[in-house]
């Protein structure tokens, strides 16, 4: 089982994980330079008409995707470490 400070760190990292997912989705939507249609039925107009603001959100999107990718790699590495080396039942708890 994880100790008190380890549990707190795990919860903090999961919150950062969820925050990054939210930032990736929101910045991906706000960086759009053109509107789009979903299944040809629902039209979404361009959310922001300022090209400089679109470019800013593109940069935010790019860096948040990189950070999210790094978090995923670290998450997988932590699961492998705890399962294989520390012999903790992390995978059973995740199911």
């Amino acid at each position: 089982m994880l100790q008190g400070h380890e549990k707190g760190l795990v919860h903090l990292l999961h919150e950062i994980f969820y925050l990054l997912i939210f930032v990736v989705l929101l910045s991906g939507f706000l960086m759009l330079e053109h509107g789009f249609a979903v299944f040809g039925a629902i039209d979404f107009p361009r959310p922001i008409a300022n090209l400089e603001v679109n470019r800013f959100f593109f940069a935010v999107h790019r860096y948040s995707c990189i950070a999210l990718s790094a978090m995923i790699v670290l998450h997988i590495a932590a699961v492998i470490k705890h399962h294989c080396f520390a012999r903790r039942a992390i995978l059973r708890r995740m199911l």
Side-chain angles (χ1 to χ4, degrees):
M1 229 27 205
L2 296 175
Q3 303 299 330
H5 68 283
E6 289 176 331
K7 276 187 178 182
L9 180 62
V10 166
H11 288 296
L12 174 67
L13 291 174
H14 279 98
E15 294 296 323
I16 292 171
F17 217 142
Y18 295 130
L19 177 65
L20 278 172
I21 291 169
F22 175 75
V23 170
V24 165
L25 293 173
L26 184 63
S27 63
F29 179 69
L30 294 176
M31 76 176 198
L32 293 175
E33 294 179 6
H34 307 286
F36 64 96
V38 177
F39 303 116
I42 304 171
D43 288 326
F44 286 94
R46 177 179 170 179
I48 298 175
N50 186 335
L51 189 59
E52 289 182 30
V53 175
N54 293 118
R55 288 183 180 151
F56 168 76
F57 282 113
F58 177 77
V60 170
H61 184 72
R62 176 176 282 171
Y63 292 121
S64 60
C65 283
I66 292 168
L68 182 60
S69 299
M71 286 283 294
I72 290 170
V73 169
L74 289 173
H75 190 76
I76 293 170
V79 168
I80 291 170
K81 175 206 174 268
H82 287 288
H83 183 76
C84 295
F85 300 111
R87 301 288 185 204
R88 294 182 178 160
I90 295 291
L91 288 177
R92 284 191 208 116
R93 284 189 11 211
M94 292 172 67
L95 294 175

